Amino acid sequence: MKFAVLFFAFLMSLTLSCAKKEAPAKLSLSFQSKGENSANTPTIEHVIVNVSAGDLPLRIFEWECDRQDCSNISFEVLSGSNRLIQLLVLTEDSSEVTLINYGDVLSNLSSGENVLEVQLSRIGQILDEAKIMGRYIPRATHPLAGKSLTGEILAQLPVGGGKPDMRIKRFEIFGGWLNLFTLDSLGFKYLFTGHDLQGNFFVRQPILNDLHDSSGLK
């Protein structure tokens, strides 16, 4: 009987510790670019947030700011330590130029309300947007040369500073046919996960790098 009570208490402690570990945290972010003040506050157009940690899968959040106020954003993630919050903010200045701003913060998130401020730095601006439409068959120099691919393409943006690339957008590819965009001023990385006609499966395989690199379309 004593053993049964001890075993039950041990199971309860495991259950409570798991519940505590998986408790949701509500995170509110405010942000400001370096050198920004009330006289030159740009218009926020688009916000993307990546949240990552060693004990949870990457979460991606996105806001279209022509439909809502993005000056302060809130969302829920699992509480825990060493949560890396990466923030990408597209703004438009008085000259109608779209600027790319990035910032990140590493934080321990408790269950309940969490408020963080992120300082942004400009990492570029959007000069030219191009669409890649049609059928993509990797060239002879590519590891997937000649293959007809079906699956998902993940667009990632290198942000530097030893931080993980930010995951920006997902696109589909079916039998090589795709429709996606690229920004020549940024140099996206495109990673393919899916299969070819022979049933071979690939995970996060770089593609389109035979057509596109950091300087733009080849």
Side-chain angles (χ1 to χ4, degrees):
M1 180 65 178
K2 183 178 180 181
F3 174 77
V5 171
L6 290 174
F7 183 69
F8 178 74
F10 174 71
L11 288 179
M12 286 296 294
S13 67
L14 285 180
T15 302
L16 291 174
S17 64
C18 289
K20 183 178 180 181
K21 181 179 179 181
E22 296 181 355
K26 183 178 181 181
L27 181 58
S28 297
L29 294 181
S30 61
F31 47 88
Q32 185 176 33
S33 298
K34 292 179 180 177
E36 180 184 303
N37 54 53
S38 58
N40 65 353
T41 303
T43 302
I44 302 172
E45 295 185 330
H46 200 97
V47 176
I48 299 174
V49 174
N50 286 187
V51 181
S52 58
D55 62 340
L56 82 165
L58 176 77
R59 297 291 307 278
I60 303 173
F61 303 89
E62 186 173 7
W63 292 264
E64 292 281 358
C65 301
D66 58 343
R67 305 171 187 169
Q68 58 187 311
D69 178 17
C70 293
S71 56
N72 288 279
I73 55 177
S74 299
F75 53 93
E76 283 194 356
V77 294
L78 293 181
S79 60
S81 59
N82 297 321
R83 272 37 180 160
L84 177 63
I85 297 100
Q86 295 176 280
L87 181 66
L88 191 76
V89 180
L90 302 185
T91 59
E92 186 179 274
D93 64 11
S94 57
S95 303
E96 298 186 351
V97 175
T98 299
L99 307 175
I100 302 110
N101 308 276
Y102 170 80
D104 60 61
V105 61
L106 187 66
S107 181
N108 299 327
L109 301 181
S110 59
S111 59
E113 297 281 345
N114 296 262
V115 180
L116 296 175
E117 182 175 347
V118 182
Q119 288 294 321
L120 301 176
S121 298
R122 186 185 304 175
I123 62 172
Q125 63 185 54
I126 295 179
L127 300 175
D128 296 300
E129 179 178 341
K131 283 218 172 223
I132 302 176
M133 303 172 63
R135 194 178 191 200
Y136 169 69
I137 303 295
R139 295 176 177 176
T141 55
H142 195 279
L144 302 181
K147 294 185 179 296
S148 178
L149 305 175
T150 296
E152 179 184 85
I153 299 173
L154 180 63
Q156 295 194 166
L157 176 65
V159 295
K163 300 298 172 61
D165 294 347
M166 279 199 69
R167 299 186 185 184
I168 302 300
K169 199 78 174 176
R170 289 184 172 91
F171 304 92
E172 292 184 349
I173 181 171
F174 185 79
W177 293 97
L178 50 75
N179 181 355
L180 53 80
F181 71 87
T182 183
L183 301 173
D184 281 356
S185 56
L186 292 183
F188 283 157
K189 295 179 181 178
Y190 297 95
L191 302 178
F192 167 73
T193 296
H195 59 86
D196 61 11
L197 290 178
Q198 289 71 44
N200 300 306
F201 195 76
F202 307 94
V203 178
R204 296 174 62 80
Q205 173 68 48
I207 64 168
L208 297 172
N209 48 353
D210 50 343
L211 303 178
H212 182 278
D213 59 21
S214 59
S215 62
L217 292 171
K218 296 181 178 179

